[in-house]
Amino acid sequence: MQIKTDRDARLGYWLILPTVIAVSGLIFYPIVYNLWLSLQEVNMNPVQPNTFVGLKHFTDVLTDSDFWRSFKTSLIFTSTTVVGTTLLGLGTALLLNRDFPGRSVIRGVILLPYVTPVISAVFGWKYLFDPVFGMANYFLVDIIHLLPQHINWIESPAYAIYAVIIFNVWKNFPFAFLMILAELQSISANLYEAAEVDGASIWQQFRYITLPELKFVIGALVILRTIWNFYKFSEVYLLSSSVEVLPVYIYEKAFASYDFGQAAAISAILFVFVLGFIMFYVRKVLEW
Amino acid sequence: MRKNRILTLILLTVLMLALTTGVFAKTTVEYWTTQTEENRVEVINSLIKEFEANHPAFEIELVTVQENDIPTKLVAGMAAGRLPEIVEMGSEVIMKMGAEGMVASDEVSTVINKIGKDDFFKGSLTMLSRPEEGYFGVPFHGWVQGIWYRQDLFEEKGLEPPTTWDNIIKAAEAFYKPDQQQYGIVIGTDKDAYARQTFTQYALSNNARIFDENGNIVFNSPEMVETLDYYSRLAEFTPPGPDGWRDARDLYLAGRVPMMMYSTYIMDDIGLEATGYKGEKGSIIPNLVDKTAFANKMHKTRDAVFGQINGLTFIKGNEDTQMDGAKMFAEFLLTGDNYIKFLHMAPGGMNPVRASIASDPQYQNNKVLEVWGEKAGEIAAGLNSIGKFGYVGGKVFPKIGDITSQFIVGQTIMKMTESGWTAEEAAEWGQKEMEDAVE
């Protein structure tokens, strides 16, 4: 490749310079700084220097059973919420794609969980699942006697992961719903008419018309939600500190153990993992 | 000509404005407090306004920090090189900052001496000083923890007051009826500061320590294992799942537990109803003050009282003028009417550390304190004999801060209550985590 140096090209370089500065300042600098941190034993006192420790943090992290437990929790959380939000969004979109009175109102109401501020939703859920006064326990234990005794759904490490998953699905499915609904409305009615004439059942129409048309939007939703939820901190940590997904683990390494170097190393590992996943997914699943 | 004159006039005005703002530029003093409740912030803001009116050169910037977030905020502030001038925090946090060389110890001594060293309760000064290095914080206010219990229900069942291990667990078992959502006791069983605070009192009453006198970690001692074992057995009579301070408060006020561990801050809530509180009907048991008693001493092999002294301290490395403002503000907060106004934010909860204020009729003249009557005085007396994990035989171990910031005590308890570990396993785990933490 030859670098152009004529007047037009030089003007061109000047014109893209602001973008280059913005991108390197906002994206490359933090990444490089994080990588640099991951090789240091960071001293909390800004006056004293850091010590270079090479790849020690990486070997420490990869041999730490706590890390792998968090990794597993993160995988469970991400996979279930991605499937949950997508399926629930798809189902709701299919239902609300039909004509019925009050449809636009319902469509608006469905969006509520998504637009509610996280912290207010979290407090609502905390009361809903309160171990003593909560509606959930009252219904499950005292009314229908499904469970023998009240459970602390939100704080107990054994159950908190379910609460967090359900909460995340409830909070985020409207986004999937919105995207899928928009795509559904662009599918031509002619296709369904033709299929009906050919005698296709409802299932066959869904399987051979709706799904292929939705392939790309669902594919995009899955990849976006995976990235978002793999790094999800607020919705998990605010609802329950008992669910140690990786972002929470990093937070505690940095701010409770004051081990910034190791926290940076974990971030770097996550970065590589998610990048690998995205590349695989885009090539093999989406076939872009 | 005329144009020129107008121009000169404009220039002059601009210049004068610039000069005057330069002269009257206020020195900003940042003040961190752990009082986050809205009504307390209001009181503090009104005190700040009063201070600023009397000291126009200074501007106080209030930052509220949740107790559990202190370690995080301090680290972030340190890393960013942006720490406040004056902070109001618990004694362990202040001692840890002192050990790291962050505290302006001379300034602290100046303020203590100016207010009058002899007027401070001795116990409160000890918690904020190191024999060889002097004072790290000016004592500000304190609370005492213990078991608050329903005297009426205890008498009905013929139970002894919950002052010994046997009495406590016997009573907890007697009241535990989970199918009616009635539970025996609330103690801390979550990964938070509350769990460490409630556990400490059991440990100290059995002479179980985190540090020995040489600063070695002795969390796996037989005494500690015994305490952990007892604590997990007691936790069987608590409401489901990990419990925190909010559960203790809400469930006791609503009459779901007859016993719970809490600091003196509950006096305000319990006393509310008797002061003509017109809140939600049925949210508080009627006449709860008369039915409540407080066991602040616990006994197994020795008596133990637990509590906290909060202090004010100054951070090194700020400008001299800012330091002056911080010192003046600290003095202002600890003097006369201002101090009383501050303490009345949480009557009974915040106890004075100055003898002259404790006996001041104006301090005692408060609805909640009057409702509690003599009990209030007895409770405050506990302040002088507080024991803590970080203080052993007159020595202070600021390293406790590394252990508390990771909530290792709470996590150890959860290993037993949530994952079914034995006390020995949990103690070994805690020992290892603590050794790693103080490394």
Side-chain angles (χ1 to χ4, degrees), chain B residues 20 61 64 106 132 190 231 275 278 318 324 333 349 395 409:
Chain B
T20 44
E61 199 182 308
T64 57
D106 295 343
E132 64 280 24
D190 205 349
Y231 200 83
T275 60
K278 296 264 186 297
N318 291 300
D324 290 341
L333 286 178
K395 286 189 189 163
V409 174

Side-chain angles (χ1 to χ4, degrees), chain B residues 107-410:
Chain B
E107 320 280 357
V108 172
S109 302
T110 316
V111 173
I112 290 179
N113 287 326
K114 207 158 174 197
I115 292 169
K117 197 174 135 188
D118 299 332
D119 197 28
F120 285 102
F121 287 134
K122 234 180 143 206
S124 69
L125 282 172
T126 335
M127 300 228 91
L128 286 164
S129 59
R130 273 183 119 170
E132 64 280 24
E133 284 156 282
Y135 300 112
F136 284 155
V138 185
F140 195 10
H141 51 85
W143 51 259
V144 184
Q145 172 193 272
I147 298 183
W148 300 86
Y149 66 101
R150 289 284 296 278
Q151 211 167 4
D152 57 329
L153 299 179
F154 268 65
E155 275 164 19
E156 235 171 61
K157 287 208 188 246
L159 291 160
E160 297 285 319
T163 47
T164 66
W165 282 19
D166 286 343
N167 289 350
I168 296 168
I169 203 160
K170 223 180 269 169
E173 195 173 358
F175 287 108
Y176 185 65
K177 293 190 193 77
D179 49 326
Q180 296 164 32
Q181 281 94 58
Q182 297 283 342
Y183 306 95
I185 188 170
V186 183
I187 50 177
T189 49
D190 205 349
K191 197 172 121 188
D192 56 12
Y194 174 70
R196 170 179 46 84
Q197 290 162 354
T198 60
F199 179 78
T200 303
Q201 206 171 352
Y202 292 90
L204 294 183
S205 70
N206 196 29
N207 215 4
R209 292 274 176 185
I210 287 182
F211 294 108
D212 67 8
E213 291 200 16
N214 302 316
N216 302 312
I217 291 176
V218 288
F219 194 70
N220 53 3
S221 68
E223 291 86 7
M224 190 59 86
V225 171
E226 190 185 7
T227 314
L228 284 167
D229 179 59
Y230 172 83
Y231 200 83
S232 73
R233 279 188 288 126
L234 185 60
E236 284 170 21
F237 305 115
T238 57
D243 297 306
W245 61 268
R246 206 183 288 276
D247 300 296
R249 176 181 167 275
D250 293 353
L251 296 175
Y252 184 79
L253 294 180
R256 300 296 183 133
V257 284
M259 266 194 294
M260 55 97 189
M261 296 194 76
Y262 213 90
S263 70
T264 40
Y265 279 91
I266 199 72
M267 289 167 74
D268 194 358
D269 296 303
I270 295 178
L272 267 184
E273 195 256 353
T275 60
Y277 169 70
K278 296 264 186 297
E280 200 181 326
K281 210 180 160 203
S283 61
I284 299 184
I285 298 282
N287 302 325
L288 195 53
V289 172
D290 305 329
K291 297 172 181 165
T292 297
F294 180 47
N296 74 336
K297 255 191 208 139
M298 188 182 290
H299 189 87
K300 171 71 166 82
T301 54
R302 55 185 282 266
D303 281 342
V305 178
F306 180 80
Q308 175 69 298
I309 297 288
N310 278 288
L312 289 167
T313 196
F314 313 111
I315 311 281
K316 255 188 203 163
N318 291 300
E319 286 167 35
D320 284 350
T321 45
Q322 285 178 312
M323 240 14 167
D324 290 341
K327 274 190 286 181
M328 276 187 222
F329 187 59
E331 248 175 77
F332 172 86
L333 286 178
L334 271 155
T335 323
D337 291 354
N338 313 326
Y339 190 34
I340 292 169
K341 197 171 162 191
F342 191 97
L343 296 170
H344 282 175
M345 285 196 294
M350 289 180 183
N351 293 287
V353 289
R354 295 185 55 191
S356 63
I357 301 289
S359 57
D360 191 329
Q362 204 193 328
Y363 166 71
Q364 289 157 355
N365 178 19
N366 171 280
K367 269 188 191 161
V368 172
L369 291 175
E370 275 167 15
V371 166
W372 284 93
E374 272 178 26
K375 279 185 197 169
E378 290 166 27
I379 290 165
L383 218 55
N384 243 335
S385 49
I386 293 172
K388 309 193 87 166
F389 278 142
Y391 300 81
V392 186
K395 286 189 189 163
V396 186
F397 297 103
K399 288 234 170 251
I400 189 77
D402 292 322
I403 291 169
T404 55
S405 73
Q406 296 183 42
F407 307 117
I408 298 176
V409 174

